[in-house]
Amino acid sequence: MTDLRTPPVNDGDLFSARARQYACEHRGQVLQVLEAGCGWGAGLDLGDRERQVTGVDLDVPALRAHTEARTDLHAFHLGDLRTVPMPPRAYDIVHAPFLIERVPHAELVLDRIVAALRPGGLLLLRLRDRDTAFGLVDRLLPARLPVRHRSRQAAAGPPPAVYESVASRKGMQWYCMMRGLAIAEEYVSGELAAEAGRGIAGMCRLVAAFSRGRLPAGHSEVTMVVRKPENRFARVI
């Protein structure tokens, strides 16, 4: 069942907890983790669980510098996410925080990520929701939104967003339905809008009012825990 509410913990704690639960369910095997969007922020806290962590992201100077400084990655590949190595059914967990909204050809990239996930594996997603007041303001004034997110431990906020149609709560719901993926948990929160400052928050409220609620100001990002079904007859990539 999909659970849509404000998460009781930040996304880093939630994702790490779900990853550790998965590891407990699969004792005795080395956990294969894909950090999709490794060029900023931090990875999952898996404690002493044995794992191999591979990172992928776009190849731009700031993202490369952060990726090369990370100590949790066993390997990484930077470049066009439509072509960087992502072997099929190779990973137990894919951690993709603030990636989908900032890459071109997002649906194709998602298809590659899902194909790289093993049946029964977890896709841990967080994204800025384009179908919100914050999403519109972010598109119109990208240079004005130097968002910093405490849980990501990054020197700056996520790179500027492209915001293709799949980069929204409804877009991801549609994508998961069409690919036969199960959304186990879904939360909305407004941390990024709040951290952008009072001015941006005020603009978001105005946009919400003028749109008559079509672009809500109550949240700016969506957090999802998605599972790839194990049923071999499921309609999945």
Side-chain angles (χ1 to χ4, degrees), residues 15 18-35 44 46 49-54 87-96 113-124 225-230:
F15 287 164
R18 297 299 175 263
R20 289 194 296 268
Q21 289 172 2
Y22 182 95
C24 288
E25 294 168 2
H26 297 79
R27 292 183 183 275
Q29 72 179 53
V30 178
L31 205 64
Q32 299 293 329
V33 179
L34 179 65
E35 282 284 328
L44 298 168
L46 294 173
R49 276 71 172 182
E50 191 175 1
R51 70 270 196 181
Q52 289 283 326
V53 184
T54 302
R89 301 191 175 197
Y91 301 102
D92 300 291
I93 296 172
V94 176
H95 180 219
I113 288 173
V114 172
L117 191 62
R118 290 172 177 164
L122 295 180
L123 173 58
L124 308 175
V225 177
V226 179
R227 186 177 291 273
K228 184 174 182 177
E230 295 190 54

Side-chain angles (χ1 to χ4, degrees), residues 28-29 32 43 48 86 93 103-104 109 120-121 123 147 162 170 180 193 203 217 222 234:
Q29 72 179 53
Q32 299 293 329
D48 60 356
M86 284 192 243
I93 296 172
V103 297
V109 172
L123 173 58
V147 174
V162 177
K170 290 183 179 179
M203 292 179 65
V222 181

